[in-house]
Amino acid sequence: MTLHLYNTAHRKKEEFVPMEPGKVGMYVCGPTVYDRAHIGNARPVVIFDVLARLLCHLGYEVTYVRNITDVDDKIIEAAAKNDENIDKLTARTTAAFHEDMDELNALKANQEPSAIELGNGNFKMIEPRATEHIDGMIRMISTLIEKGHAYEAEGHVLFDVTSMADYGKLSGRNRDDMIAGARVEVAPYKKDPADFVLWKPSTDDMPGWDSPFGRGRPGWHIECSVMSEATLGITFDIHGGGRDLIFPHHENEVAQSCCAHDGAEFARYWVHNGFLTVEGDKMSKSLGNFRTVQDVLEEAPGEAIRLNMLSAHYRQPLDWTAEGVTRAKANLDRLYNALKHLEDVEAGSIEPAAEVIAALEDDLNSPQALTELYALAGEANKASNAAEKARIKGQLLGSGHLLGLLDKSPKEWFQSITVHHLKAESIEARSELGSPVLTSVISKENIEALIAERDETKKQKNYKRADEIRDNLKAEGIVLEDGPGGTTWKRA
């Protein structure tokens, strides 16, 4: 089977054929770094991380670009609210974004992925920042003015949507829908209500750069047009992002880039992930259901969060629920238990199972890929032949790595403290609120000291104390397993 992706531009699933044989350029809109990333921000990171891994496994040389928007009105507002220097704010929030995405096992810029992770292809990830490309933005805006696609008005430069005959072709919106549904600023200096800002003036207390249009800063849309061209060229293979970006952001990227280059194609395949809700409702601070990645890492390990992200097809809505996170954690327990069953077996060739590859080649069908992974775990628990066990272990590990899962040993998984940011004193409060706390904060050293004390009390035939230690540990979420080789433990 060959890779097929749903192309938003053509509203159908299509065979993926790269512009240049053996090479793929992919651009995905990254975060605007004014605050911690929320779980909606994390969904495209996980989805396009899997696509990058798949493309590499299929033998492509992949250049994956995910930008950082570090100049934006939201950043200016957040810095003013925090009484914080803008550079300090963006440095802090960018570092936090990287930390959170690392917890979700996402590939990162300047990383040297192992052959196990990515298989046959080569991988390079680039993370441009908007402030590094201001000169390119000024050049593109100047070109658009020269070609009659943009105009200056009251210190602003705006794109003239009437200058592009097929404006709206990506989203398929008509003029009335564009104006009614767009997040557009109504301003008297616009020739048309749908015209959008390429450059805006900055006051002395705002970030700003000198330009032929006056001191100012770029609009949001022009940033991605320029960063994608600088890293991938005028035309590239895949442009990704959330469904909410189709209009106006991606529509306006198409307009700017195509008009600046006399109609040259911009992105050949447009891939968009669906919306994310929380417990059935749109995520909103006013509803009290706004969840950052940091929030959910207090409840479950990053790997469980990643698996939960992959439990729904990327084009479909994903409803984030406590039950779903708990189920994801249980499914990972099941997968790691299968690997534990094969612990004494040397893995065969570490390659994804053909069924897992086939599922992902069918428009990134991650739910089906996970179903095939669970089937492999079932086979592992039944296998008796050494060669069969070796094959299954290799396929479990290979399939897991393709999905960005199973990167720990069973012992690491079952013994790891999964609460990364949760303060111990807040556990009781969270429990009273009904928030799930999936693990204890008791340290590994304390657990092993108590197990050693239990072994000693058993030798002294003080079984009451031995049982007391076992029960106390169980109350802390620590399960002891006695076997011929001694006592092992895991976190429930």
Side-chain angles (χ1 to χ4, degrees):
M1 186 176 175
T2 55
L3 174 61
H4 286 74
L5 295 170
Y6 185 88
N7 190 346
T8 304
H10 300 151
R11 290 141 184 83
K12 63 179 180 179
K13 193 157 59 175
E14 299 174 341
E15 180 181 350
F16 175 70
V17 180
M19 186 170 61
E20 184 178 346
K23 294 185 178 182
V24 176
M26 178 167 72
Y27 184 93
V28 178
C29 292
T32 299
V33 285
Y34 66 96
D35 205 345
R36 299 293 304 215
H38 57 69
I39 52 178
N41 301 139
R43 191 180 190 195
V45 171
V46 171
I47 294 303
F48 292 101
D49 186 82
V50 171
L51 179 54
R53 289 168 184 262
L54 176 63
L55 289 164
C56 284
H57 178 79
L58 296 176
Y60 292 107
E61 180 181 320
V62 178
T63 301
Y64 176 21
V65 182
R66 186 184 67 217
N67 74 292
I68 297 286
T69 295
D70 59 351
V71 52
D72 185 84
D73 288 355
K74 289 181 180 179
I75 294 172
I76 296 171
E77 291 167 10
K81 182 179 179 182
N82 299 344
D83 194 21
E84 186 176 11
N85 175 275
I86 286 176
D87 290 342
K88 183 178 178 182
L89 169 70
T90 57
R92 175 175 59 79
T93 51
T94 299
F97 173 76
H98 288 148
E99 289 168 9
D100 290 344
M101 297 311 111
D102 286 351
E103 293 289 352
L104 304 188
N105 201 24
L107 298 166
K108 50 193 174 185
N110 305 315
Q111 183 181 26
E112 295 292 338
S114 69
I116 285 178
E117 284 181 306
L118 293 179
N120 306 316
N122 295 313
F123 175 81
K124 177 172 69 173
M125 183 173 180
I126 303 172
E127 192 176 69
R129 302 186 181 212
T131 52
E132 300 168 345
H133 292 269
I134 300 296
D135 288 346
M137 296 173 202
I138 291 171
R139 283 194 300 272
M140 182 175 279
I141 293 168
S142 297
T143 298
L144 290 167
I145 293 172
E146 290 167 11
K147 292 179 181 290
H149 295 291
Y151 59 95
E152 296 182 58
E154 297 185 21
H156 296 74
V157 182
L158 297 111
F159 185 89
D160 181 358
V161 297
T162 63
S163 72
M164 185 181 184
D166 55 356
Y167 180 75
K169 63 183 178 180
L170 176 65
S171 61
R173 295 192 177 207
N174 61 39
R175 290 281 298 144
D176 291 341
D177 290 341
M178 286 181 205
I179 296 168
R183 292 174 293 175
V184 296
E185 179 188 359
V186 177
Y189 49 77
K190 287 185 176 185
K191 291 181 180 179
D192 186 283
D195 291 350
F196 58 88
V197 172
L198 301 173
W199 190 261
K200 60 181 78 174
S202 291
T203 58
D204 291 342
D205 59 340
M206 291 179 173
W209 291 263
D210 292 332
S211 80
F213 340 112
R215 183 179 181 277
R217 61 198 190 278
W220 175 34
H221 313 305
I222 196 71
E223 296 178 356
C224 285
S225 281
V226 170
M227 286 187 280
S228 62
E229 181 181 337
T231 51
L232 297 173
I234 292 171
T235 304
F236 56 93
D237 293 297
I238 299 171
H239 196 316
R243 186 175 178 81
D244 57 314
L245 298 182
I246 297 174
F247 188 87
H249 185 50
H250 289 167
E251 191 73 75
N252 292 347
E253 280 186 67
V254 172
Q256 296 158 165
S257 296
C258 290
C259 289
H261 298 295
D262 300 322
E265 189 174 21
F266 180 42
R268 300 173 66 246
Y269 295 84
W270 287 88
V271 181
H272 292 98
N273 62 271
F275 296 112
L276 184 145
T277 56
V278 177
E279 302 288 354
D281 293 316
K282 182 178 179 180
M283 186 167 60
S284 164
K285 288 182 180 179
S286 63
L287 291 175
N289 67 351
F290 188 85
R291 312 299 308 284
T292 66
V293 174
Q294 186 182 40
D295 291 335
V296 295
L297 282 170
E298 293 178 357
E299 301 163 4
E303 198 170 340
I305 293 166
R306 183 183 180 101
L307 188 147
N308 196 38
M309 291 279 183
L310 297 173
S311 64
H313 191 281
Y314 81 91
R315 284 195 288 116
Q316 300 303 314
L318 171 64
D319 188 30
W320 194 268
T321 65
E323 181 185 354
V325 174
T326 302
R327 189 185 312 115
K329 171 70 164 56
N331 282 330
L332 280 164
D333 286 347
R334 174 183 170 191
L335 293 171
Y336 276 108
N337 268 321
L339 287 173
K340 185 178 180 183
H341 184 70
L342 303 172
E343 216 157 15
D344 298 330
V345 177
E346 186 76 27
S349 177
I350 299 180
E351 288 286 333
E355 295 83 1
V356 172
I357 297 170
L360 293 178
E361 284 185 319
D362 182 16
D363 195 27
L364 287 186
N365 190 341
S366 58
Q368 184 59 40
L370 289 172
T371 296
E372 301 296 346
L373 194 60
Y374 302 145
L376 270 176
E379 288 181 43
N381 295 326
K382 297 174 185 175
S384 55
N385 178 280
E388 187 182 11
K389 287 182 177 181
R391 173 190 64 80
I392 293 169
K393 185 173 184 178
Q395 289 187 342
L396 266 175
L397 290 173
S399 301
H401 291 316
L402 189 58
L403 293 163
L405 304 170
L406 303 183
D407 63 333
K408 300 178 180 64
S409 70
K411 183 177 180 180
E412 287 172 328
W413 170 255
F414 287 116
Q415 293 188 358
S416 62
I417 294 178
T418 61
V419 176
H420 297 283
H421 306 287
L422 185 61
K423 294 180 181 178
E425 62 267 23
S426 72
I427 291 178
E428 184 178 347
R430 289 181 66 83
S431 298
E432 288 174 359
L433 291 170
S435 301
V437 178
L438 301 181
T439 189
S440 166
V441 294
I442 186 170
S443 72
K444 178 180 177 180
E445 292 73 21
N446 285 344
I447 294 166
E448 292 179 347
L450 287 167
I451 289 173
E453 180 188 343
R454 180 172 177 263
D455 288 344
E456 189 60 33
T457 59
K458 285 168 73 176
K459 288 176 185 175
Q460 296 170 2
K461 298 188 178 180
N462 185 354
Y463 299 115
K464 181 179 179 181
R465 174 58 183 158
D467 288 347
E468 185 180 69
I469 291 170
R470 181 198 62 207
D471 292 343
N472 287 343
L473 284 171
K474 185 177 181 181
E476 293 283 350
I478 308 301
V479 178
L480 302 186
E481 296 177 346
D482 296 318
T487 302
T488 59
W489 62 273
K490 64 182 182 181
R491 296 184 190 271

